[in-house]
Amino acid sequence: MSIDSILKSLSKYNEDNFPPVHLWNPELCTNASFSIDIKGDWYYNNSIIGRKRLKKLFSTILKREGNNYFLVTPVEKIKLDVEIAPYLIVDFTYDNLNKEIILDTGFDYSFPLNLDHKLELKLYNDEYYPVVNVRSGIEGLIARSVYYKLIDIAIEQKNNSKRNTLLLESFKTFHELGSIA
């Protein structure tokens, strides 16, 4: 298993669309190591992958099975060790009139913060991290600076919570951002 073999098997797919990984169930390959750390850095055999275009391509062939992530092609499947989430949410746009938030990943993929893309606080090493469902159960970690800006919006929205919880409204859905001190 090599990066070149992955690229070759994906050559017929447009990089603007997600390949149908849900239809692919090849055998598991164990001779390569891929991982993603908490900062969103990708590694291949413990060497950092620096090319954004390559990481963007890999982000399109992610598949989640249970609590595990895999890179999947029609002929290969590789376990991906993910520290918190494979995507990193790096920015957003906010329509304050309609209370609609569009989140942006580091790989030029955007999606609405809504019922299908719910924000949750995930416990990892005794700390809570804001994560959101990006697509097909695949999660994205919301960058700290983005999270703080979302908190500011939630404070401005003044949504009532009976449980002393800060709520953020987007697309007529409410997302818990944590406890109010």
Side-chain angles (χ1 to χ4, degrees), residues 41-153:
D41 290 327
W42 288 60
Y43 296 86
Y44 172 68
N45 290 338
N46 297 319
S47 296
I48 195 161
I49 300 172
R51 292 176 42 207
K52 181 179 178 178
R53 186 172 178 182
L54 189 57
K55 293 184 287 188
K56 182 179 176 179
L57 173 67
F58 289 155
S59 77
T60 66
I61 58 169
L62 289 170
K63 184 176 183 180
R64 186 172 182 177
E65 296 176 358
N67 290 325
N68 295 311
Y69 289 100
F70 298 91
L71 294 175
V72 182
T73 72
V75 295
E76 298 170 306
K77 177 179 176 180
I78 304 159
K79 188 169 187 316
L80 181 62
D81 293 318
V82 178
E83 197 164 356
I84 292 186
Y87 282 102
L88 186 63
I89 310 306
V90 297
D91 205 358
F92 67 92
T93 55
Y94 176 54
D95 175 351
N96 62 351
L97 182 61
N98 296 310
K99 295 185 179 178
E100 296 176 347
I101 298 170
I102 304 293
L103 298 173
D104 304 321
T105 70
F107 298 123
D108 307 320
Y109 176 64
S110 301
F111 59 95
L113 180 60
N114 61 16
L115 191 57
D116 293 330
H117 305 279
K118 196 84 172 132
L119 187 152
E120 298 177 354
L121 296 177
K122 182 177 182 179
L123 186 62
Y124 177 76
N125 285 343
D126 297 325
E127 290 191 42
Y128 285 96
Y129 292 88
V131 297
V132 63
N133 176 34
V134 176
R135 61 178 183 85
S136 305
I138 299 170
E139 297 175 326
L141 173 65
I142 297 175
R144 185 181 304 258
S145 62
V146 172
Y147 186 60
Y148 288 157
K149 291 176 189 175
L150 293 174
I151 289 172
D152 289 340
I153 290 170

Side-chain angles (χ1 to χ4, degrees), residues 30-42:
T30 58
N31 59 348
S33 168
F34 280 87
S35 61
I36 304 172
D37 67 15
I38 194 169
K39 297 180 293 183
D41 290 327
W42 288 60

